[in-house]
Amino acid sequence: MLESGALLNQIFIDPTRSVGDISRDIFGGFTEHLGRCIYGGIYEPTSPFADEKGLRTDVMQALRRLQVPLIRYPGGNFVSGYRWMDGVGPKAERPARVDMAWNAIDTNHFGTNEFIDFCRKLNTEPYMVVNCGDGDMREARDWVEYCNGTQDTALVRLRRQHGYEAPHQVKYWGIGNEVDGHWQIGYKTPDEYSRAYLEFAKVMKWIDPSIKLIASAASNWAGGTVVERTQLLMEQASKFIDYLSIHWYVGNPKNNFNDYMALSELIEERLAASEGLIRALSLQQGIRPIPIAVDEWNVWYRTHPENTNDINGLEETYNLEDALMVAIQLNSFIRHANSVKMANIAQLVNAIAPIFTSPEGLVLQTIFYPFEVYSQTCGTTALDVFWKGETFNSSNYGDVRVLDVSATLDERRNRLMVYVVNRSQSDAMETTISLGSGCHAELVQAYVVNGPNIKAENTFANPDQVGVSEAKCQTEKQSTFNYTFEPHSVTALSFAF
Ligand code: AHR
């Protein structure tokens, strides 16, 4: 039943109904030795934009706008064949190696210390992943000691000799990447991985008990081992697991907009299933549920090996529908704030990334804008939103609501944010937003990400097809608002109490 005067689309938000605290780490990033992500992306000593360390200042300037609190590195599939020792010390002496993950040669001119320099310049935390593919626990534990050690040991002396007196204090460490996929160097069965995880984790934590460890739980969703893998990991190693990692990529390979937009439901299913599984296993062990890290997520299909032989360094050109999909994923992290405590957009530069470089400059891809708006405005508490209204039909999930919504509160700044994706290609969505619990607020500002049509892209020739526009609203303090969401748009509404 519609209340009198209310529009067909309705969003209900009760600012007192919290879903959970939002971890800033859901706005994390990821950079891998892959294509032009590192070399020719963040690191290009010959570029006119390079600083004294060879880092591209134009790229760092764009990255600062995204305010990523942590960056995962060095892979990805790459890490499963990586020797971190190859990437430290004088560059002229570093060995070039074959990278079997991406069929490339790595000069190792960029390694641990270059990555730490990059993170410090961005004021972001490094998140290292150790090789649990063809690497061993000794190598992993040595890397922790090299980075974080403070005692007078050979590895700490080596770091100092390389110019880094103070420890890097790397807090986040992943053990392995996508070990559940046969595409991975050193694929592991659930049993092999949980055994390896426990032994790696033990020695890494013995070197530095303050580190946080991330276990690789699910990336091969159709592979049939997600449940067993998570169960074995938790049964054998839960006291050494600070986060359980899951990965996904979504896309539109059949060029069906409705089916693409309906993937919000797949994301919900994956998050709900992971939460349920972890909850059940935690209950069995009498422990608090382990948080989820979605430490690779994004749109990736045009350059995916499943769809093409020419992966081209994963240089995906994004369009407006992809920007909507990125916002949909961010909405899901906010709605699941109680369990998702880290998420890392994969990746940051050139390879499936919001920032695309050439030797002469860079372009901000369409997906840059929703990420920027959410990261810069997101509150500290996720709110329980309820919404209903018009639907669209999809072949994969039937009827799905046209709007996709999340809301956050920042009590210290007296600010409520409402994030809405309008998935209609053609129709503006007139919507009533009602605040519960006798709450009155003023609608102050709207940020709208949009472009001429769902296929609009930002390219060097045409860099501003999709962008963000800001509008001051300034209403009276009230509890009900009517707002019209533009077709194919992402809108962030800022309310003040
Ligand atoms: O981000 C690209 C690749 O996607 C990563 O290397 C791997 O972890 C995943 O399959």
Side-chain angles (χ1 to χ4, degrees):
M1 273 283 277
L2 286 179
E3 289 162 34
S4 71
L7 299 166
L8 189 55
N9 295 294
Q10 296 181 289
I11 299 173
F12 302 91
I13 300 163
D14 181 342
T16 65
R17 279 179 63 98
S18 155
V19 175
D21 293 340
I22 296 172
S23 162
R24 264 299 305 161
D25 291 345
I26 63 169
F27 296 106
F30 172 43
T31 55
E32 176 169 5
H33 287 238
L34 193 185
R36 296 191 306 122
C37 178
I38 302 288
Y39 302 106
I42 66 180
Y43 178 76
E44 196 170 29
T46 54
S47 163
F49 301 106
D51 69 6
E52 73 294 348
K53 303 258 184 192
L55 299 168
R56 271 188 68 159
T57 51
D58 57 339
V59 171
M60 287 193 288
Q61 208 178 332
L63 281 170
R64 281 193 190 97
R65 289 174 55 179
L66 298 181
Q67 297 183 358
V68 288
L70 81 171
I71 301 179
R72 182 171 178 259
Y73 170 85
N77 297 341
F78 170 80
V79 78
S80 297
Y82 182 55
R83 297 275 171 274
W84 69 267
M85 273 281 204
D86 290 344
V88 295
K91 289 192 184 176
E93 291 166 26
R94 296 188 194 175
R97 300 275 189 209
V98 171
D99 160 23
M100 287 193 297
W102 300 109
N103 195 19
I105 304 289
D106 197 305
T107 61
N108 278 302
H109 284 182
F110 191 95
T112 304
N113 296 316
E114 290 77 20
F115 179 65
I116 298 287
D117 288 341
F118 166 69
C119 288
R120 298 304 172 221
K121 287 194 175 199
L122 284 178
N123 198 19
T124 190
E125 287 298 319
Y127 160 12
M128 302 297 208
V129 182
V130 303
N131 178 348
C132 190
D134 69 7
D136 63 27
M137 59 196 254
R138 179 70 202 207
E139 192 187 4
R141 149 230 187 286
D142 282 354
W143 201 8
V144 178
E145 186 178 337
Y146 176 88
C147 287
N148 293 1
T150 52
Q151 290 168 302
D152 187 21
T153 65
L155 283 166
V156 173
R157 262 184 253 146
L158 189 64
R159 185 193 69 227
R160 290 182 176 144
Q161 203 183 307
H162 293 158
Y164 296 83
E165 183 63 31
H168 292 322
Q169 295 180 323
V170 178
K171 180 173 164 193
Y172 300 103
W173 293 84
I175 299 181
N177 174 71
E178 297 190 354
V179 290
D180 60 342
H182 286 282
W183 58 85
Q184 203 66 213
I185 299 167
Y187 160 86
K188 291 189 170 45
T189 64
D191 191 44
E192 285 164 352
Y193 180 59
S194 45
R195 285 285 306 125
Y197 182 89
L198 177 64
E199 298 308 319
F200 273 60
K202 254 167 40 185
V203 294
M204 289 167 75
K205 284 240 188 190
W206 285 346
I207 287 289
D208 182 353
S210 73
I211 60 176
K212 301 278 178 212
L213 295 179
I214 296 99
S216 173
S219 68
N220 191 3
W221 295 90
T225 63
V226 169
V227 174
E228 185 191 353
R229 193 170 286 273
T230 310
Q231 179 173 2
L232 285 184
L233 263 173
M234 285 190 58
E235 282 173 1
Q236 296 185 20
S238 63
K239 70 175 177 181
F240 290 109
I241 305 175
D242 297 294
Y243 298 83
L244 281 159
S245 143
I246 64 176
H247 292 180
W248 69 63
Y249 291 95
V250 288
N252 187 11
K254 297 205 171 120
N255 194 19
N256 181 326
F257 179 70
N258 282 8
D259 286 1
Y260 185 27
M261 292 296 108
L263 293 178
S264 56
E265 310 309 293
L266 174 70
I267 289 162
E268 281 300 312
E269 276 175 351
R270 286 183 175 167
L271 285 178
S274 302
E275 282 167 346
L277 182 59
I278 296 168
R279 267 182 173 273
L281 292 164
S282 306
L283 195 64
Q284 200 166 280
Q285 291 181 32
I287 58 169
R288 299 277 314 139
I290 296 173
I292 295 170
V294 189
D295 56 6
E296 283 188 35
W297 67 270
N298 201 352
V299 171
W300 176 24
Y301 68 99
R302 299 166 179 93
T303 60
H304 196 288
E306 269 173 20
N307 303 325
T308 176
N309 289 328
D310 181 15
I311 62 168
N312 184 32
L314 315 195
E315 296 196 359
E316 198 111 346
T317 301
Y318 291 114
N319 59 26
L320 178 58
E321 65 186 23
D322 301 323
L324 305 191
M325 200 60 221
V326 160
I328 286 169
Q329 293 171 83
L330 291 169
N331 278 348
S332 75
F333 300 146
I334 292 171
R335 291 193 299 263
H336 290 264
N338 206 21
S339 57
V340 178
K341 295 297 182 187
M342 185 196 293
N344 303 66
I345 189 168
Q347 300 193 9
L348 287 175
V349 186
N350 289 333
I352 43 173
I355 298 165
F356 190 76
T357 70
S358 77
E360 289 80 39
L362 59 79
V363 166
L364 303 178
Q365 294 231 47
T366 61
I367 63 169
F368 182 93
Y369 292 100
F371 194 97
E372 179 187 37
V373 168
Y374 279 65
S375 181
Q376 290 195 5
T377 61
C378 185
T380 49
T381 304
L383 298 176
D384 190 12
V385 282
F386 170 72
W387 74 101
K388 60 185 182 179
E390 292 173 61
T391 58
F392 63 93
N393 190 258
S394 68
S395 71
N396 43 356
Y397 285 95
D399 289 340
V400 175
R401 290 169 292 184
V402 174
L403 301 183
D404 187 81
V405 184
S406 72
T408 73
L409 187 68
D410 191 333
E411 268 175 302
R412 274 201 5 239
R413 292 156 89 182
N414 259 342
R415 189 167 73 177
L416 165 72
M417 292 299 306
V418 180
Y419 300 101
V420 180
V421 182
N422 177 1
R423 293 179 269 196
S424 171
Q425 275 194 71
S426 49
D427 297 337
M429 287 290 130
E430 294 183 346
T431 306
T432 301
I433 303 169
S434 309
L435 305 182
S437 284
C439 198
H440 287 72
E442 180 190 350
L443 175 57
V444 183
Q445 182 113 359
Y447 306 83
V448 182
V449 178
N450 210 343
N453 59 65
I454 56 168
K455 299 296 182 190
E457 303 171 342
N458 292 345
T459 58
F460 280 103
N462 218 340
D464 300 316
Q465 286 281 296
V466 174
V468 54
S469 57
E470 292 182 33
K472 292 251 172 285
C473 303
Q474 239 105 47
T475 64
E476 296 289 300
K477 277 204 169 173
Q478 56 206 57
S479 62
T480 305
F481 305 81
N482 287 344
Y483 191 90
T484 301
F485 296 101
E486 296 174 11
H488 51 64
S489 65
V490 179
T491 303
L493 296 176
S494 172
F495 296 83
F497 292 109

